Amino acid sequence: MLGLIGKKIGMTRAFYESGDSIPVTLIQAGPCTVTQLKSIDTDGYITIQLGFNEVKDNKLNKPLLGHFKKNKLNSFKFLKEFKVENKVLKKYKSGSVLNTSIFKVNEIVKVTGTSKGKGFAGVMKRHKFHGKNMTHGTHESFRGGGSIGQCATPSRVFRGKKMSGHMGNQTVTVKNLTIFKIDKERNLIFIKGAIPGHRNSIVTIRKIK
């Protein structure tokens, strides 16, 4: 569905008229420029490609620079594609600008971002293992993962076994988030609750059917 590329500003709280406060995340959403329209005839699928965060030409490699010059557009640091229906595709053309006006207050959206990287982590932090007893003969393995497989058969560790390893730094999508407020002048969207990523990370906000 159609959406915007944005930057996570951080979290704060907002208030209802009743005085109740709720946690909200501020996102600088757009403005985004349409850099390419992809259709079934030319690409085999239908998407709108958007560019965000304008940069100087010397910040890009030659393939990307050629892509923008071909369409007579400014250069952008971030590109994302949004799957849309054919009737939505016909509303836009290369160079069109999308902003927060495509959303409305109380609309349900989904947000995709990259979660914070936690580095190497053990099974208790990474997979919420309980660990072993601190008494009853437990020796040198209080926070271990326990057995990881059998001995003779099948003589290997199964793929996907929950073990220690790199935690975080993955693409995460949170669905059914509600837009609390929109500041069109500053291109800010206030979304109820938390979204993945650190401050100033790039996120995408998409409509839900």
Side-chain angles (χ1 to χ4, degrees), residues 13 38 57 70 95 126 131 140 143 154 158 168 185 190 195:
R13 62 176 179 170
K38 298 190 176 184
D57 292 348
K70 178 182 177 182
R126 191 183 186 202
E140 294 181 347
R143 297 177 64 87
F158 289 122
E185 294 182 358
F190 296 71
I195 65 172

Side-chain angles (χ1 to χ4, degrees), residues 17-209:
E17 293 181 358
S18 61
D20 296 333
S21 68
I22 59 167
V24 294
T25 303
L26 272 69
I27 300 176
Q28 180 191 343
C32 297
T33 302
V34 177
T35 55
Q36 188 178 4
L37 299 173
K38 298 190 176 184
S39 63
I40 295 292
D41 298 332
T42 57
D43 302 279
Y45 62 100
I46 302 175
T47 60
I48 291 180
Q49 186 188 82
L50 299 181
F52 176 69
N53 194 3
E54 189 173 332
V55 294
K56 296 180 180 179
D57 292 348
N58 59 5
K59 298 292 184 181
L60 301 177
N61 56 30
K62 287 186 177 180
L64 267 180
L65 190 59
H67 174 64
F68 294 125
K69 294 301 181 184
K70 178 182 177 182
N71 296 309
K72 299 179 181 179
L73 298 170
N74 296 328
S75 300
F76 296 94
K77 186 175 182 180
F78 302 103
L79 293 176
K80 297 286 184 180
E81 291 186 3
F82 296 82
K83 289 185 177 181
V84 296
E85 297 177 352
N86 195 35
K87 61 181 180 180
V88 177
L89 190 71
K90 294 179 180 179
K91 295 180 180 179
Y92 301 97
K93 61 181 180 180
S94 181
S96 300
V97 177
L98 279 71
N99 52 34
T100 54
S101 61
I102 68 172
F103 294 107
K104 56 186 178 181
V105 177
N106 293 327
E107 185 174 2
I108 305 298
V109 296
K110 62 180 180 180
V111 178
T112 301
T114 303
S115 61
K116 293 181 180 179
K118 305 289 186 179
F120 189 92
V123 291
M124 291 184 71
K125 181 177 180 180
R126 191 183 186 202
H127 300 296
K128 312 300 181 186
F129 281 20
H130 288 283
K132 298 183 180 179
N133 294 329
M134 301 298 288
T135 56
H136 295 280
T138 303
H139 180 61
E140 294 181 347
S141 185
F142 300 104
R143 297 177 64 87
S147 173
I148 61 173
Q150 299 77 28
C151 176
T153 303
S155 299
R156 63 186 177 86
V157 179
F158 289 122
R159 184 187 298 272
K161 181 67 178 178
K162 292 182 178 179
M163 300 175 67
S164 304
H166 189 91
M167 180 179 177
N169 196 30
Q170 295 179 330
T171 300
V172 178
T173 299
V174 181
K175 299 180 180 179
N176 299 325
L177 296 173
T178 305
I179 295 178
F180 178 78
K181 179 182 175 182
I182 298 176
D183 187 341
K184 295 183 179 180
E185 294 182 358
R186 295 186 292 174
N187 292 312
L188 291 178
I189 295 180
F190 296 71
I191 293 182
K192 293 181 184 178
I195 65 172
H198 56 79
R199 285 192 297 270
N200 296 322
S201 61
I202 298 300
V203 298
T204 56
I205 312 167
R206 288 180 168 87
K207 291 175 173 287
I208 293 181
K209 291 184 180 180

